[in-house]
Amino acid sequence: MMFEFTNEIIGLIMIGVMLFAIFVGFPISFTLIFLGIIFGAWGFGIKLTVFLMTLQFYGSMMEQTLVAVPLFVFMGFMMEQAGLMERLFAAVQLMLARMKGSLFVAVLFVSVIFGAATGIVGASVTILGIMAASTMNRSGYDVRLAAGTITAGGTLGILIPPSIMLVVMGPVLDIPVTDLFAAAIIPGILMAVLYLIYSVGRCWLDPSLGPPLPEELRPSDRAHVLREFFLGLVPPSILISFALGSILFGWATPTEGAGMGAFGSVVLTMLYRRFSVRRTYDALIKTLEISVLILFLVAASNFFGAVFSRLGTPAMITELLLGLDLSANMVVILILALIFVLGWPLEWVPIVLIILPIMAPVLHKLEVDMLWFAILVAVCLQTAWLSPPVALSAYFLKGVVPSWDLKDIYIGMMQFMVLQLLGLALVFLIPPLATWLPSYIYGQ
């Protein structure tokens, strides 16, 4: 008797082939479209498959929230062009020149501001490495702790709003982006505080890990340092506060807030006399590259997900997991473990767009708070950036600081990965860390 391929089984084969193709290195977007067409035609015919593809691509293009993606990306690149982060970092390190581990404090302080401005991990780690590594080397800082602080601080951009990942995750999980932004603020600050306590605490226990700045690097003009600190901190903070605050308090949609932030970043660049046609053109090209990558993948994954759902496999997976009689918390832990492992070879985009829609029906059946779950996923994906064997943050840092050994970078990152897991456990055990602020602001 021949084995019959039901639509549900075809869907499982589809997922297996998709994961294999991505791990081998095929372009994700085109792989999803190709597999959607092939397995859709196999399962329920080419006509319905083409209809689903047209519907999903059109729906993705009409999703107004996603317009915020290129605007926030452009805002980040223009803030980078203005040189505000370099000025702020220099000012903080000089203000704390006599303090043990002062450069760690400067890195983490700047990473919070820069994370809110860009939301792009690669850009954050690269800029922080360029700014901090040479001074850390001259000051005799421990390479491993320095590398861990820079890479961990750079990953805050994936969590601290206005995060690009949260903008994309909102429509996927059917959660308002405003709620996600509000929910991510406390966990983002929590992670930064854990990093700060660990790095500065170790320096106080062992001053050789982060000695005070040498005399020749200390400031002679205190007023100049305060002026640089003010100019580096206040303008970007005001811009981010207006853009993010207008979204959180309902004065503007995420798209409108992003537009205001993008316009404000151009004005700031002009005020700091760093505006030029060439720099703006470069920022636009980088924005175009990243936006096309994300938005085309959104459309492709929506089509892939529609075919997958039409085959009935998500319903089968839901029934299977519910049949195991596991508690809701145990199912959440299993899903987070899967996301953590997939976060080694994959970036957040395919995980958010492909894996989360598959698991969402199970979570809805178990009445899991999806806002809490979304923040858990964000922290988990942030952890994956610091987790060997891939840990893309290590390669970004190695690219700008070639003198640091990759092994030392990895060891430094793993220290902060443990802190990430601690933060993830705290958000898991204390859900109000994610849910209190949205309920306070919106009265839900």
Side-chain angles (χ1 to χ4, degrees):
M1 182 178 178
M2 294 183 63
F3 179 77
E4 181 181 355
F5 287 97
T6 63
N7 280 358
E8 291 82 1
I9 299 299
I10 292 174
L12 289 177
I13 298 172
M14 181 183 181
I15 285 291
V17 174
M18 180 270 295
L19 291 173
F20 174 77
I22 291 176
F23 289 144
V24 168
F26 286 104
I28 298 176
S29 298
F30 294 106
T31 297
L32 294 178
I33 295 172
F34 177 76
L35 294 180
I37 294 172
I38 295 299
F39 284 90
W42 182 10
F44 46 78
I46 190 65
K47 288 185 178 180
L48 182 54
T49 302
V50 173
F51 172 77
L52 282 176
M53 182 167 64
T54 305
L55 181 66
Q56 293 301 321
F57 269 75
Y58 180 77
S60 300
M61 289 187 289
M62 296 301 291
E63 179 59 62
Q64 294 186 11
T65 304
L66 294 177
V67 178
V69 171
L71 292 170
F72 278 133
V73 172
F74 177 73
M75 169 182 156
F77 281 123
M78 289 305 291
M79 295 274 278
E80 178 187 331
Q81 302 275 10
L84 298 175
M85 298 305 108
E86 292 90 337
R87 174 175 256 162
L88 181 58
F89 176 80
V92 174
Q93 76 172 23
L94 293 176
M95 288 178 67
L96 304 175
R98 300 180 185 279
M99 175 184 171
K100 300 167 188 174
S102 60
L103 293 178
F104 296 141
V105 178
V107 164
L108 293 172
F109 184 83
V110 171
S111 66
V112 171
I113 303 296
F114 196 56
T118 64
I120 304 169
V121 174
S124 297
V125 172
T126 300
I127 295 297
L128 289 170
I130 292 171
M131 289 190 302
S134 59
T135 308
M136 287 177 164
N137 286 336
R138 288 200 305 271
S139 303
Y141 272 53
D142 179 71
V143 170
R144 293 177 177 178
L145 190 56
T149 305
I150 292 172
T151 50
T155 62
L156 288 172
I158 202 173
L159 181 60
I160 294 177
S163 161
I164 305 300
M165 182 180 70
L166 297 180
V167 174
V168 175
M169 192 184 292
V172 170
L173 294 179
D174 197 24
I175 302 172
V177 173
T178 51
D179 287 8
L180 284 174
F181 280 180
I185 291 175
I186 293 178
I189 295 173
L190 171 67
M191 296 313 308
V193 170
L194 287 175
Y195 299 159
L196 185 64
I197 292 173
Y198 177 75
S199 56
V200 174
R202 287 200 62 194
C203 290
W204 280 97
L205 293 173
D206 183 0
S208 65
L209 296 175
L213 288 183
E215 286 291 339
E216 63 271 16
L217 295 179
R218 294 182 184 180
S220 56
D221 186 352
R222 196 75 176 176
H224 173 72
V225 173
L226 290 173
R227 178 178 176 274
E228 288 296 298
F229 178 77
F230 179 85
L231 291 175
L233 174 64
V234 174
S237 297
I238 291 174
L239 174 61
I240 293 166
S241 298
F242 270 107
L244 184 57
S246 64
I247 295 171
L248 290 178
F249 292 107
W251 303 331
T253 66
T255 303
E256 292 166 346
M260 185 171 65
F263 176 75
S265 67
V266 175
V267 173
L268 272 184
T269 308
M270 290 178 173
L271 292 176
Y272 281 82
R273 299 179 182 179
R274 297 291 295 269
F275 181 84
S276 72
V277 175
R278 180 64 188 175
R279 288 196 185 109
T280 306
Y281 176 79
D282 289 341
L284 287 170
I285 291 299
K286 291 177 182 176
T287 300
L288 180 64
E289 291 172 351
I290 292 177
S291 301
V292 168
L293 173 69
I294 294 175
L295 297 177
F296 188 58
L297 187 51
V298 168
S301 62
N302 282 349
F303 166 57
F304 181 91
V307 172
F308 186 69
S309 297
R310 182 67 180 77
L311 289 170
T313 311
M316 183 186 75
I317 294 174
T318 300
E319 292 174 6
L320 178 64
L321 288 175
L322 293 176
L324 295 176
D325 199 26
L326 298 173
S327 66
N329 283 344
M330 184 57 65
V331 172
V332 169
I333 291 173
L334 290 175
I335 294 174
L336 291 176
L338 173 65
I339 290 171
F340 179 74
V341 172
L342 291 176
W344 295 352
L346 300 179
E347 290 196 47
W348 63 264
V349 182
I351 294 174
V352 168
L353 294 174
I354 300 171
I355 304 301
L356 293 190
I358 295 174
M359 300 302 176
V362 182
L363 299 169
H364 283 299
K365 286 278 188 181
L366 293 171
E367 298 182 349
V368 172
D369 186 328
M370 295 303 289
L371 182 61
W372 170 67
F373 173 74
I375 299 303
L376 285 173
V377 170
V379 177
C380 189
L381 287 173
Q382 185 188 356
T383 306
W385 279 90
L386 302 173
S387 308
V390 179
L392 293 173
S393 296
Y395 297 97
F396 288 128
L397 183 58
K398 177 67 174 176
V400 295
V401 195
S403 61
W404 287 0
D405 188 76
L406 193 60
K407 177 183 176 183
D408 288 332
I409 296 175
Y410 268 135
I411 293 174
M413 291 171 64
M414 290 183 70
Q415 300 173 43
F416 286 82
M417 187 188 75
V418 175
L419 296 177
Q420 280 285 149
L421 293 174
L422 174 60
L424 182 64
L426 288 173
V427 177
F428 180 83
L429 296 172
I430 312 173
L433 287 172
T435 59
W436 174 80
L437 190 56
S439 64
Y440 178 78
I441 295 176
Y442 305 115
Q444 296 173 350

